[in-house]
Amino acid sequence: MKSSLERYTERVEQYASRFSRFPRFLEVTMVLALIGCAFFGTQLSLPGVDRPDTGKSLEVLLGLSCFVLLKYRTHTRTVVVVVAGVTIAAIARGYLLTPMLLAPLLAAMYWLAVLCDRRTVRLYALVVTVALLTVNLFSDGMRDLSPVLTVVGPVFWMALPLVGGSLARLRGDYLEAVKARAEHAERTREEEARLRVTEERMRIARELHDVVAHHLALANAQAGTAAHLSRSSPEQSRKILDDLTGTTSAALRELKATLGLLRQDDRPKGEGLDPAPGLARLPELIDSYRSAGLEVVVHQEGVRRPLTPGVDLTAYRIVQEALTNVAKHAPERAAHVGFTYADSRLLITVSNDGPATATAVSGTSGGFGLRGMRERAQSIGGDLCAGPRPEGGFEVTTALPLQPSAAVEGESP
């Protein structure tokens, strides 16, 4: 249940927002209201005290000073000086100091507190208040009142617009700060979304590169070998062609699984998609290269340890890409793959023999191959080095954590 004060406040805010579309109309209405208040204030006097006879000139001047308030946004200090001077002159001529007479000055002081800095507000408030008190103490309109009331009245009425204006300025600063924080949060969300999209695009690009580059290079090598052996060894050529069929089928399956990530719908996660490859499929991978004429020797040191899905996929893809580079670029048709299981890391080396200069250049000419391997290793907290060996050939070495942190594992491709 809303209180009556809350309902009244909401109603006022609704009306204020509705009329705020016409700022000039509101300002003119305010000036007319202040003219009416000032005119009414000039008609008030204490019992037994005659109103001063100024020939209406001061009343007209008070009304004209209200129009100066239309410039409160651009000439705030000038507005305060003009309105305060006219008001003090009216009190000095004997008009009774009342809130009605002070209405234009109170409005000017309110906008001063809203639009100006605190030092300016304090300076102008002190000067205007002291001037009002001084004139009021010697005014004929206040001669029958005690000095205490003569002092308390101006101070009280001058304090109201200053406090109200300060609160309005603080509220405005608060709203600006909230708006700035909201805009910053919105920009941060947009940047984070763009970053996530970029990371996902790079992850899919790496997957497609590994699948397409590996299988096409392997299929090309198998087709070339089969063509070379077609006359001298038809039986072996047919066997290689059978392996070529398996290579293209595997390429289609992995490509379908990768592209399926882009077409995920309301099906349960992973339904209809092949599981991500891992080192369990390493023998199948090695056999495919051997069928293409590449001799691959695998050796292992240490006790084999279970790998997390992210590390398992990364290790498989790095070996796959490294062997693809050997099949495509190395002059020697032989490669060595080593796995070393340490306490917390898995060290993988893929190397080949041959002239150092030739294999170094060929190993780095693949474009995105080495970059993709390095990105995969770094995405799970590992590292990768690639370069020519002193004794000749090219070597790719990567160290992968056996148990990556949860945050890094969640980001692994």
Side-chain angles (χ1 to χ4, degrees):
M1 294 293 292
K2 296 183 178 179
S3 65
S4 57
L5 179 59
E6 291 177 345
R7 289 195 297 268
Y8 175 77
T9 303
E10 290 181 357
R11 190 173 303 174
V12 170
E13 290 179 353
Q14 291 176 359
Y15 285 120
S17 62
R18 190 175 303 172
F19 285 107
S20 62
R21 304 173 186 174
F22 311 99
R24 181 58 61 181
F25 172 77
L26 290 178
E27 291 173 355
V28 173
T29 304
M30 176 192 69
V31 168
L32 295 178
L34 292 175
I35 291 175
C37 291
F39 177 76
F40 183 72
T42 59
Q43 308 302 312
L44 301 177
S45 62
L46 292 175
V49 178
D50 296 332
R51 292 175 55 248
D53 184 13
T54 59
K56 303 294 183 180
S57 59
L58 202 53
E59 297 175 10
V60 174
L61 194 58
L62 273 173
L64 293 176
S65 68
C66 294
F67 284 99
V68 180
L69 289 167
L70 293 174
K71 296 294 184 179
Y72 71 90
R73 294 185 184 276
T74 57
H75 301 81
T76 309
R77 298 174 180 84
T78 304
V79 169
V80 172
V81 172
V82 173
V83 176
V86 174
T87 304
I88 292 173
I91 296 173
R93 292 297 301 270
Y95 285 103
L96 180 63
L97 190 151
T98 62
M100 304 300 291
L101 186 67
L102 290 177
L105 179 59
L106 298 181
M109 296 302 296
Y110 172 83
W111 290 116
L112 180 74
V114 171
L115 300 176
C116 295
D117 59 277
R118 295 181 179 178
R119 182 178 180 181
T120 301
V121 173
R122 287 195 293 266
L123 176 61
Y124 277 74
L126 179 62
V127 172
V128 172
T129 303
V130 170
L132 280 177
L133 290 176
T134 303
V135 173
N136 199 39
L137 286 173
F138 299 98
S139 174
D140 292 337
M142 305 290 288
R143 63 175 180 266
D144 294 335
L145 292 180
S146 65
V148 175
L149 294 178
T150 304
V151 172
V152 171
V155 173
F156 175 77
W157 293 115
M158 289 297 296
L160 287 181
L162 296 175
V163 173
S166 299
L167 293 177
R169 187 185 67 250
L170 291 176
R171 178 177 174 81
D173 294 341
Y174 171 75
L175 293 178
E176 287 293 331
V178 170
K179 182 179 179 181
R181 287 197 299 268
E183 292 176 352
H184 176 71
E186 185 66 24
R187 288 195 301 269
T188 303
R189 283 194 296 269
E190 292 176 356
E191 292 173 359
E192 183 178 357
R194 286 195 297 269
L195 180 61
R196 288 184 179 275
V197 170
T198 302
E199 291 177 349
E200 184 66 12
R201 186 171 64 248
M202 294 299 298
R203 186 185 70 83
I204 295 174
R206 285 197 300 266
E207 288 291 331
L208 290 177
H209 174 272
D210 291 344
V211 172
V212 174
H214 160 65
H215 289 291
L216 285 183
L218 188 58
N220 180 69
Q222 290 173 331
T225 304
H228 178 72
L229 298 175
S230 59
R231 293 184 179 180
S232 61
S233 181
E235 291 296 331
Q236 189 175 0
S237 177
R238 281 195 295 270
K239 183 179 182 301
I240 294 176
L241 290 177
D242 291 338
D243 294 337
L244 177 60
T245 303
T247 299
T248 55
S249 299
L252 290 175
R253 285 196 306 271
E254 290 198 28
L255 190 60
K256 179 181 178 181
T258 302
L259 294 179
L261 297 175
L262 302 177
R263 302 191 182 114
Q264 286 183 349
D265 48 21
D266 295 334
R267 295 178 300 174
K269 183 178 180 180
E271 182 179 335
L273 301 177
D274 292 338
L279 291 183
R281 293 175 54 181
L282 186 63
E284 178 184 345
L285 179 68
I286 299 301
D287 290 340
S288 65
Y289 282 105
R290 285 172 178 168
S291 67
L294 179 66
E295 292 297 326
V296 182
V297 179
V298 181
H299 64 274
Q300 174 182 318
E301 297 181 8
V303 181
R304 185 170 182 175
R305 304 271 295 278
L307 304 178
T308 61
V311 176
D312 200 17
L313 173 62
T314 300
Y316 178 87
R317 291 301 191 196
I318 289 176
V319 173
Q320 182 187 58
E321 178 63 26
L323 290 178
T324 299
N325 286 339
V326 173
K328 288 166 53 178
H329 305 296
E332 299 292 334
R333 307 293 293 172
H336 304 275
V337 180
F339 297 92
T340 302
Y341 290 86
D343 293 337
S344 60
R345 302 182 79 80
L346 169 62
L347 181 66
I348 303 175
T349 58
V350 181
S351 60
N352 66 281
D353 299 326
T357 303
T359 52
V361 174
S362 65
T364 57
S365 64
F368 297 102
L370 292 178
R371 183 192 305 176
M373 288 191 289
R374 186 170 289 108
E375 290 176 352
R376 282 186 178 277
Q378 293 174 350
S379 67
I380 60 170
D383 194 13
L384 183 139
C385 297
R389 299 193 304 169
E391 64 273 19
F394 197 84
E395 184 176 73
V396 174
T397 304
T398 181
L400 304 178
L402 293 176
Q403 296 292 335
S405 61
V408 175
E409 176 68 16
E411 299 172 0
S412 63

